[in-house]
Amino acid sequence: MSWLQKLKEGFTKTTTTITRGISDIVTKTKLDDDTLTALEEYLITTDMGPQVAGDLCGYLRSKRFAKEITADEVRGFLAEHVAEKLEPYAKPIAWSNEPGGTDPDVLIVVGINGAGKTTTIGKLLPYLKKQGRTIRVVAGDTFRAAAVNQLRAWCEKADIPIASGVDGADAAALAYQEIVTAKTTGDNLVVVDTAGRLHTKKNLMEELSKVIAVTRKLVDAKHIHCVMVLDATSGQNVLQQVTTFQEYIPLTGIIMTKLDGTAKGGVLLNVVHTKQLCVHFIGVGESADALQAMSADAFARNLFGLGEVTN
Ligand code: GDP
């Protein structure tokens, strides 16, 4: 299955909901105030947020108010505008390590328990390896033996070294050691999985801050990438999660998982609009090939059920 088909399949719940909603609302020949108001209210229910919904309807109004329009055309206009708005935020991680450079990049993956951090790292490893990254992994979720074992399995499959400690080992110390090792071996990327126990927020955040502090001692800031994994099925709650993490951690981007498990894929637009963070990847399933580099155009087209990109 091509990645576009995988994406389309993963978006089924969201696409079906949005497409049906628009078809139910856009029933008059000409675009009028009532239709726009109903559409805006409806879009808000898809978790994209009132500002994004308002902006989309404003765009539609500017293009077609009092003119003839069909539901399919509405979806086309909305997808066009979403793609344009998302474009500056659909970015790969900006690696800084240059050939021959001594400082590795350090990717610190954060997020609450169950968001999909470990799985996402596992999916990313072969992808990054293919891109020429020589990787060391730190199993920093040291309180969950299952998470360490899960990550070890992904690493073995991708033939990538993993550092792990015994129960409750100091994640920052593990990260420190691996970055030091990478500086001598010349490996150009250290990926750090982290714990996500939100109920022990203070400890967790102190632990994460410590991981970042030791990393800063060893490499230049431009090499540090703090990426938060967000579970799309949490809907608008992800906004509060980002706010909480940002109080302690300088997030550089996000990865949104489980878009296949929700009808509210529009929440990604809400996060981008509210937090202005780049989206690097999206997860649309549990399998290894269900993590995809973020594409504004493909995301927008799938959100509004426009099918595959032809150009
Ligand atoms: P962590 O606690 O943040 O490390 O979360 P895990 O990586 O253990 O993932 C929690 C669950 O979410 C696992 O069952 C994963 O298979 C599942 N998962 C992760 N990403 C996706 C995704 O994109 N789609 C679906 N359907 N499940 C996912």
Side-chain angles (χ1 to χ4, degrees):
M1 193 187 286
S2 75
W3 75 266
L4 279 168
Q5 283 167 315
K6 191 106 204 160
L7 184 66
K8 190 174 167 195
E9 199 182 280
F11 263 70
T12 308
K13 287 185 188 164
T14 297
T15 305
T16 310
T17 309
I18 290 188
T19 305
R20 271 201 205 133
I22 293 175
S23 297
D24 288 348
I25 290 163
V26 184
T27 51
K28 295 183 192 161
T29 325
K30 289 188 177 168
L31 185 65
D32 62 8
D33 280 321
D34 289 348
T35 305
L36 281 166
T37 304
L39 191 60
E40 187 169 337
E41 282 168 6
Y42 176 71
L43 291 176
I44 291 171
T45 68
T46 68
D47 273 18
M48 60 179 67
Q51 273 124 355
V52 173
D55 176 49
L56 281 174
C57 289
Y59 178 75
L60 196 56
R61 177 185 287 274
S62 74
K63 289 282 179 189
R64 272 298 217 276
F65 189 69
K67 294 187 183 136
E68 291 190 3
I69 197 160
T70 64
D72 286 353
E73 285 168 328
V74 166
R75 290 191 289 123
F77 278 119
L78 297 185
E80 181 181 288
H81 196 52
V82 163
E84 198 183 305
K85 289 280 174 179
L86 273 183
E87 188 58 38
Y89 298 98
K91 294 249 172 74
I93 300 170
W95 305 122
S96 295
N97 174 278
E98 283 147 18
T102 49
D103 279 1
D105 281 300
V106 182
L107 172 60
I108 301 170
V109 182
V110 305
I112 67 164
N113 262 352
K117 290 180 298 297
T118 309
T119 313
T120 298
I121 293 174
K123 291 172 180 173
L124 270 176
L125 294 176
Y127 175 92
L128 296 174
K129 201 172 165 181
K130 225 181 261 173
Q131 288 190 332
R133 315 300 303 177
T134 49
I135 310 167
R136 310 189 72 80
V137 169
V138 177
D141 191 354
T142 57
F143 284 90
R144 286 200 312 147
V148 176
N149 291 338
Q150 192 189 340
L151 196 55
R152 185 171 292 120
W154 284 104
C155 286
E156 275 168 12
K157 211 163 152 197
D159 195 19
I160 286 169
I162 175 168
S164 61
V166 286
D167 247 10
D170 184 1
L174 278 179
Y176 186 92
Q177 187 50 53
E178 284 309 291
I179 298 168
V180 168
T181 306
K183 280 165 92 99
T184 49
T185 57
D187 290 325
N188 58 25
L189 176 61
V190 178
V191 179
V192 186
D193 192 12
T194 63
R197 306 171 307 278
L198 207 59
H199 56 283
T200 54
K201 191 176 122 189
K202 190 158 176 286
N203 289 348
L204 167 67
M205 294 305 171
E206 279 168 2
E207 194 177 302
L208 291 179
S209 301
K210 208 168 140 196
V211 170
I212 289 161
V214 299
T215 305
R216 281 195 178 129
K217 278 191 194 148
L218 295 170
V219 300
D220 214 59
K222 68 178 181 195
H223 293 291
I224 306 174
H225 314 276
C226 295
V227 173
M228 182 159 182
V229 174
L230 298 171
D231 174 349
T233 64
S234 302
Q236 299 202 49
N237 291 336
V238 298
L239 292 173
Q240 186 52 48
Q241 290 169 17
V242 173
T243 304
T244 304
F245 275 73
Q246 277 184 319
E247 281 169 27
Y248 298 86
I249 298 157
L251 293 180
T252 52
I254 63 163
I255 293 174
M256 185 162 272
T257 61
K258 307 191 201 178
L259 280 159
D260 54 307
T262 179
K264 297 190 169 184
V267 71
L268 183 139
L269 307 181
N270 201 343
V271 180
V272 168
H273 175 83
T274 315
K275 302 293 180 184
Q276 318 251 299
L277 284 165
C278 284
V279 187
H280 302 306
F281 293 92
I282 54 172
V284 287
E286 291 193 78
S287 61
D289 61 347
L291 185 79
Q292 299 174 353
M294 176 66 183
S295 150
D297 204 34
F299 184 92
R301 292 183 65 84
N302 278 286
L303 192 64
F304 292 103
L306 296 191
E308 297 193 5
V309 192
T310 47
N311 56 12

